[in-house]
Amino acid sequence: MSPEKEPRHPFATRLTAERAQEFVMFGLLRGMTFFVLFCAAFLFWDIISKGSSKVFEGDGLINWEFLTEHPQTLHVIGEGEDEIKLSSSNYYKLKDEKMLNKWEEFRQSDGHGTARRELDARFYQLQNEWSKDSLLVADEKFLLRERENATNKFAFWKEMLTDPKTTAEDFEIKVEEVPGMVTQFMLGHFEKERGRFSLVEEKVTLFRATHYPKIENLSLAHAEEVEMEYLAFLTEIPEAYNQSIASFGEEAKSSYDEFLQTEGPKEFGRFAEAIVAYSAARNVLLGPDHDLENWEALQASLAPFKQAMAVSLPSKDYAYSGGGIFPAIIGTLLLVIGAMTIAIVLGVFCAIFLAEYGKAGKFLSMVRLAILNLAGVPSIIFGLFGFGLFVIFLDWNVSLLAGWFTLAFMVLPIVITASEEALRSIPQGFRESSLALGATKWTMIKTSVLPFAMPGILTSSILGVARAAGETAPIMFTAAYAKRSDLPWEGLEHWTDFFFQGVMALPYHIYVVSAKIPQNAYTADMQYGTAFVFLLLVVGVASLSIILRNRLRKKYRW
Amino acid sequence: MQEAITTSPASSPTRAEVDSGDPAIRIRDLDFLYGSNQVIHNVSLDIFPKEVMAFIGPSGCGKSTLLRCLNRMNDLVDGARIGKGSIEIHGVDLHDKSVDVIELRKKVGMVFQKSNPFPKSIYQNVAYGLQIQGVKSKRVVDQKVEESLRKAALWEEVKDRLNENAYGLSGGQQQRLCIARTLAVEPEIILMDEPCSALDPVATGRVEELILELKNEYTIVVVTHNMQQAGRISDRTAFFYLGKLIECDLTKKIFLNPSKQQTEDYISGKFG
């Protein structure tokens, strides 16, 4: 540059403006490319490093629970170094184990013999209680007691109705409001009775419904009528209760026999449950103050066994942060397979028409324009479209079928455009020679165009697969459930139900665990673990298609 | 090569030479248009059974178009249509409504300029025409494949690798495979659109030999840019210029003593 530095020869490097520009541009281009590469690498590194702690266990083994279980609550036992993370199923398994141990301990202990003898004695005392005779006495007592109660109640209400003025003063309301208030009292009473006679709840409900017009439009005459009816109605109750009590008694007896044979916690649980049901029904029939001594004694004799079953395993619980994502993996696979099948069938047929049959003209360019626009529609709009058409209008509800069609419509433009491209890239010579050999147009397409275009069509569907698997918006209204423990083939009443059930899906699951549940120290694991598996799955499906495509390409090369 | 020249029409008179029998193809007053662009003007021409007819002329003179009219391959082109006149094969107008173009193309086979076997095995290529006609019997197809490959003088070269991809063959072999593929559907007339233009001289020689053998059974129409080739293989030659048939006569007469000045100019290389 400076005059004293003379170039040594005519080709010596000099710094000109063009050179400087080229230098800067080169640096810029290289820098940007490296930046893109860095971003991609960082993304993968981030997902893989954070996700692998969930997908792989501490010792490098695959965490099968994460891959094969459904989402569960995470129970964290202990703190810091000794912390143990357990999903619900394992937590309850552990609890059961502990209980069994404690139970066994109890059975080996000295107290066990005494407790058994006590229980036997108490239970034997109560064996005859559900005999017919004692129940008949009970029925009479029940009717006497309940009728007295009812008469008292009705007498009180009737009094209020006969002297509304005083009532209004007492309750500080207007006189014309009195019947309404008494109606409320009466309805409340029946509501309470319905709870008390829980075994004949339906009958009480029916009674109330039958007499509702009178109760609602209450007068002294109506109240009297309802009272008469109700007193008559009460006789129906013991009959129904007797049957139930007898069957509860049988259940208690048979479960006790079973308990005698196998003295396990499960059998004990069944027995204790039967006793509770029996005593509840009995209390209604006999009244609360009837012969409670024996019962209290029996309850007391149960206590040592109950004590042996009570295990505490204190844990901190985090909803949705444990278990695995198996239903989501299956759901995503099902969604992708179904959507791609529909998209490829529709797309390839459409592309064949456009490329082989369609004559250039207004119609064709309109179709092309429509497809081009469809490709630019945001996925959330496809979601709304699918929701409106399939879920609401066709009444498919949130279902696989609705998701399939919504996703299929979303990837359709990709499939059509690329399939048409693939068809057009087949040499015209194949078509001409096929026709010259006497093929019809469809035979020509079937035998000497479509097979050779297949690699190209598959390439396009790879793009479609990644998109169909990855989108959250189209399925969140149409196919995805936030949580569903059943797998799609479980609990189907009819095989067609398969298509009309919602499923979990990986992208939606990531959304749910990231945005829909309270965040805690363990949700990040779930998010990145799911993302990691999701990434692997998409890469896996894409590689499969690439392998298939390459094999076809090898077969048909020209 | 040498043999091909000695069996040229100069030494053996053809059916056309004695001018007997009905023509296999009869073209009368044919005008042909692509949209509004007329490419063939008032052509009348007879092609007789079991002769080799060569179409020559500079590029764009309509000779390929005329050839493609003979099995209605022009149907594929948007806007292509006959203006007036007719093409008859065995007295049947090709553009009659009752003519099934599929049946026509089985009888009038075609070999293209660029050899274009399907990317399948050699066997499948030859069997293709039979299979799309619904021939299921393996024995019949096997037999027909061998027969066609023998007729196309390819059998000895490929009999051990029938199941290999046809694109493993050389250019000349590929073109003979395409001829074999055409022969398998038993045509009566074979149309060849510059069949040797993409081949080297040796492969060209093999194809020319083949054409001379095939004319014992088939009527052959060849479009060629190569005048020597027309001289070697054809019985009669038609010279086209700007969509018009200038002259059609015995090949040796066209080359030795043409009756039109334009023909002589073209043959001697003054233009085109």
Side-chain angles (χ1 to χ4, degrees):
Chain A
M1 286 304 216
S2 49
E4 60 263 31
K5 272 191 185 167
E6 281 290 309
R8 276 171 285 122
H9 54 81
F11 311 121
T13 312
R14 272 178 305 172
L15 191 65
T16 61
E18 283 101 285
R19 264 201 166 278
Q21 202 183 10
E22 137 128 50
F23 187 73
V24 169
M25 278 316 289
F26 172 69
L28 211 61
L29 296 175
R30 192 170 59 171
M32 283 181 176
T33 312
F34 274 86
F35 179 70
V36 170
L37 198 67
F38 170 77
C39 287
F42 181 76
L43 184 136
F44 277 89
W45 176 78
D46 187 46
I47 300 276
I48 290 171
S49 64
K50 287 184 186 160
S52 52
S53 73
K54 188 83 188 175
V55 178
F56 299 103
E57 281 165 328
D59 41 6
L61 293 172
I62 293 174
N63 181 359
W64 287 112
E65 190 196 34
F66 183 62
L67 298 179
T68 56
E69 276 293 333
H70 56 83
Q72 294 165 11
T73 299
L74 185 72
H75 301 257
V76 180
I77 304 166
E79 257 177 66
E81 290 287 294
D82 311 321
E83 154 186 295
I84 306 171
K85 289 185 272 181
L86 288 175
S87 60
S88 291
S89 52
N90 288 339
Y91 174 77
Y92 288 114
K93 222 186 273 169
L94 185 69
K95 217 171 170 182
D96 279 356
E97 257 168 46
K98 281 203 157 188
M99 187 195 70
L100 271 177
N101 287 340
K102 201 172 168 194
W103 183 269
E104 272 315 305
E105 231 168 73
F106 167 66
R107 286 196 57 188
Q108 308 295 333
S109 70
D110 302 333
H112 177 248
T114 330
R116 267 300 298 273
R117 274 192 297 281
E118 180 75 11
L119 181 60
D120 279 340
R122 294 299 169 203
F123 190 58
Y124 181 75
Q125 281 183 344
L126 289 163
Q127 292 268 346
N128 320 336
E129 230 203 56
W130 46 88
S131 71
K132 272 255 154 63
D133 296 343
S134 70
L135 284 176
L136 275 178
V137 180
D139 290 357
E140 279 165 23
K141 282 186 177 169
F142 171 84
L143 281 178
L144 250 132
R145 188 180 70 239
E146 289 300 327
R147 280 189 172 150
E148 199 188 322
N149 275 350
T151 319
N152 286 342
K153 281 248 163 76
F154 274 96
F156 177 53
W157 295 331
K158 281 188 287 187
E159 200 187 304
M160 285 204 269
L161 289 171
T162 24
D163 190 4
K165 227 176 200 168
T166 326
T167 317
E169 273 168 27
D170 286 351
F171 287 87
E172 296 179 352
I173 55 173
K174 292 174 194 157
V175 177
E176 56 268 30
E177 282 172 355
V178 171
M181 187 183 70
V182 179
T183 298
Q184 289 309 318
F185 286 163
M186 210 182 272
L187 288 176
H189 168 74
F190 284 122
E191 191 61 40
K192 230 163 48 196
E193 295 294 78
R194 201 161 63 145
R196 200 156 63 93
F197 301 133
S198 58
L199 288 179
V200 287
E201 190 186 333
E202 282 167 30
K203 286 191 175 191
V204 182
T205 310
L206 189 68
F207 177 87
R208 197 185 71 164
T210 324
H211 297 89
Y212 192 77
K214 284 177 200 160
I215 299 173
E216 196 195 19
N217 197 3
L218 203 61
S219 65
L220 195 56
H222 278 161
E224 262 163 11
E225 276 172 48
V226 175
E227 183 184 4
M228 294 307 290
E229 300 277 348
Y230 188 63
L231 290 180
F233 168 73
L234 281 172
T235 40
E236 285 179 35
I237 293 179
E239 176 66 31
Y241 258 84
N242 282 346
Q243 279 173 12
S244 303
I245 285 178
S247 74
F248 286 145
E250 285 308 314
E251 165 71 11
K253 212 171 156 188
S254 75
S255 61
Y256 189 67
D257 287 345
E258 212 177 297
F259 176 66
L260 288 182
Q261 291 208 333
T262 343
E263 205 178 303
K266 217 169 86 190
E267 289 74 16
F268 178 79
R270 197 182 142 206
F271 172 63
E273 229 169 70
I275 291 292
V276 168
Y278 177 80
S279 91
R282 179 188 172 281
N283 278 352
V284 172
L285 206 57
L286 300 181
D289 48 351
H290 178 270
D291 191 19
L292 272 176
E293 220 168 284
N294 281 338
W295 274 98
E296 273 161 10
L298 178 64
Q299 299 283 353
S301 69
L302 290 176
F305 295 92
K306 282 186 176 163
Q307 182 81 43
M309 276 178 76
V311 194
S312 79
L313 192 55
S315 68
K316 276 179 249 158
D317 300 350
Y318 301 100
Y320 227 81
S321 301
I325 51 169
F326 187 58
I329 296 174
I330 293 296
T332 288
L333 283 178
L334 280 177
L335 280 171
V336 168
I337 292 170
M340 287 317 292
T341 311
I342 294 170
I344 289 181
V345 169
L346 276 177
V348 168
F349 274 61
C350 190
I352 289 175
F353 179 77
L354 291 179
E356 307 289 335
Y357 286 95
K359 293 230 165 19
K362 246 194 184 135
F363 175 69
L364 216 61
S365 48
M366 235 163 65
V367 172
R368 290 241 161 70
L369 192 71
I371 292 169
L372 217 73
N373 281 325
L374 211 57
V377 172
S379 56
I380 186 79
I381 303 215
F382 278 105
L384 279 176
F385 155 77
F387 180 71
L389 178 60
F390 303 122
V391 179
I392 303 291
F393 183 69
L394 294 179
D395 202 15
W396 291 350
N397 289 323
V398 171
S399 64
L400 264 183
L401 208 57
W404 282 348
F405 275 94
T406 310
L407 285 175
F409 276 109
M410 191 188 67
V411 294
L412 204 53
I414 305 178
V415 176
I416 292 177
T417 316
S419 303
E420 201 191 336
E421 212 59 41
L423 287 169
R424 286 190 191 282
S425 74
I426 301 303
Q428 198 60 22
F430 292 171
R431 295 190 179 82
E432 286 188 340
S433 15
S434 176
L435 290 175
L437 288 168
T440 58
K441 198 156 181 176
W442 172 241
T443 312
M444 176 268 278
I445 293 167
K446 193 177 63 183
T447 58
S448 49
V449 178
L450 207 48
F452 312 140
M454 224 51 210
I457 292 172
L458 279 177
T459 314
S460 76
S461 58
I462 294 172
L463 286 175
V465 165
R467 187 137 189 242
E471 285 287 358
T472 315
I475 54 170
M476 63 195 288
F477 308 132
T478 56
Y481 281 163
K483 181 162 192 294
R484 181 161 188 244
S485 305
D486 283 347
L487 293 170
W489 50 84
E490 283 173 352
L492 296 180
E493 275 174 33
H494 191 257
W495 64 269
T496 48
D497 291 350
F498 180 81
F499 301 102
F500 294 100
Q501 59 179 339
V503 290
M504 289 185 69
L506 286 169
Y508 190 60
H509 187 68
I510 293 177
Y511 167 67
V512 169
V513 292
S514 309
K516 285 280 187 180
I517 60 165
Q519 300 293 299
N520 57 55
Y522 307 95
T523 31
D525 268 3
M526 201 69 187
Q527 292 157 15
Y528 280 97
T530 312
F532 184 39
V533 172
F534 188 22
L535 217 62
L536 277 187
L537 199 78
V538 171
V539 170
V541 172
S543 331
L544 253 172
S545 327
I546 291 174
I547 291 169
L548 184 66
R549 182 195 66 185
N550 286 351
R551 286 182 59 160
L552 280 177
R553 268 205 189 146
K554 224 182 219 167
K555 194 170 158 202
Y556 300 125
R557 67 193 157 80
W558 64 85
Chain B
M1 205 58 187
Q2 216 44 44
E3 228 175 37
I5 290 167
T6 50
T7 53
S8 69
S11 54
S12 64
T14 65
R15 180 101 54 107
E17 217 165 2
V18 295
D19 213 353
S20 63
D22 289 328
I25 305 173
R26 184 202 297 269
I27 304 169
R28 284 290 173 270
D29 309 327
L30 187 73
D31 282 1
F32 191 85
L33 304 89
Y34 289 126
S36 57
N37 177 23
Q38 187 166 357
V39 287
I40 292 175
H41 298 267
N42 203 27
V43 167
S44 295
L45 184 65
D46 285 343
I47 298 166
F48 292 97
K50 297 185 184 170
E51 73 164 342
V52 178
M53 164 68 86
F55 289 177
I56 61 170
S59 295
C61 68
K63 56 192 189 307
S64 278
T65 302
L66 182 62
L67 190 79
R68 289 167 67 91
C69 280
L70 301 183
N71 68 348
R72 283 181 54 183
M73 284 305 274
N74 280 329
D75 288 9
L76 303 181
V77 182
D78 280 344
R81 63 195 168 88
I82 297 244
K84 71 173 174 64
S86 66
I87 306 169
E88 290 173 11
I89 292 180
H90 297 313
V92 178
D93 187 348
L94 297 191
H95 290 84
D96 194 83
K97 279 215 169 64
S98 65
V99 170
D100 182 354
V101 70
I102 305 298
E103 294 304 317
L104 170 68
R105 286 177 191 154
K106 284 181 197 164
K107 290 289 163 219
V108 187
M110 190 158 192
V111 177
F112 296 87
Q113 176 175 8
K114 188 177 173 300
S115 62
N116 48 12
F118 301 119
K120 299 178 180 183
S121 72
I122 294 168
Y123 178 92
Q124 282 172 320
N125 262 284
V126 184
Y128 180 86
L130 300 169
Q131 276 159 357
I132 61 172
Q133 285 177 31
V135 179
K136 289 265 157 41
S137 158
K138 178 105 172 66
R139 198 177 52 78
V140 174
V141 176
D142 281 353
Q143 200 185 345
K144 201 75 203 167
V145 167
E146 180 176 346
E147 188 189 317
S148 308
L149 284 170
R150 276 189 196 285
K151 275 191 193 166
L154 197 59
W155 176 252
E156 291 303 323
E157 293 162 55
V158 301
K159 66 181 175 190
D160 298 325
R161 46 176 179 147
L162 287 176
N163 289 318
E164 283 175 26
N165 194 307
Y167 280 81
L169 297 175
S170 73
Q173 285 173 323
Q174 285 184 20
Q175 192 60 295
R176 277 181 285 148
L177 179 65
C178 290
I179 294 174
R181 183 171 71 181
T182 307
L183 296 180
V185 292
E186 298 180 332
E188 291 171 17
I189 301 166
I190 302 174
L191 311 174
M192 298 189 180
D193 192 357
E194 302 182 38
C196 302
S197 64
L199 302 184
D200 66 59
V202 179
T204 303
R206 301 292 307 269
V207 174
E208 286 179 5
E209 259 175 67
L210 176 60
I211 292 174
L212 289 172
E213 276 165 37
L214 291 177
K215 82 169 182 176
N216 295 323
E217 286 181 60
Y218 305 94
T219 308
I220 299 175
V221 185
V222 183
V223 167
T224 179
H225 271 128
N226 181 331
M227 244 95 65
Q228 286 78 19
Q229 185 175 58
R232 286 193 294 269
I233 60 174
S234 66
D235 300 316
R236 290 195 305 151
T237 298
F239 172 61
F240 293 86
Y241 184 61
L242 295 180
K244 295 190 178 80
L245 175 62
I246 305 300
E247 189 175 353
C248 175
D249 213 328
L250 294 179
T251 299
K252 63 180 176 188
K253 181 155 185 297
I254 291 270
F255 280 90
L256 297 177
N257 184 22
S259 47
K260 297 274 171 56
Q261 185 58 40
Q262 274 172 318
T263 316
E264 194 177 343
D265 289 349
Y266 182 69
I267 295 209
S268 58
K270 282 196 184 148
F271 75 92

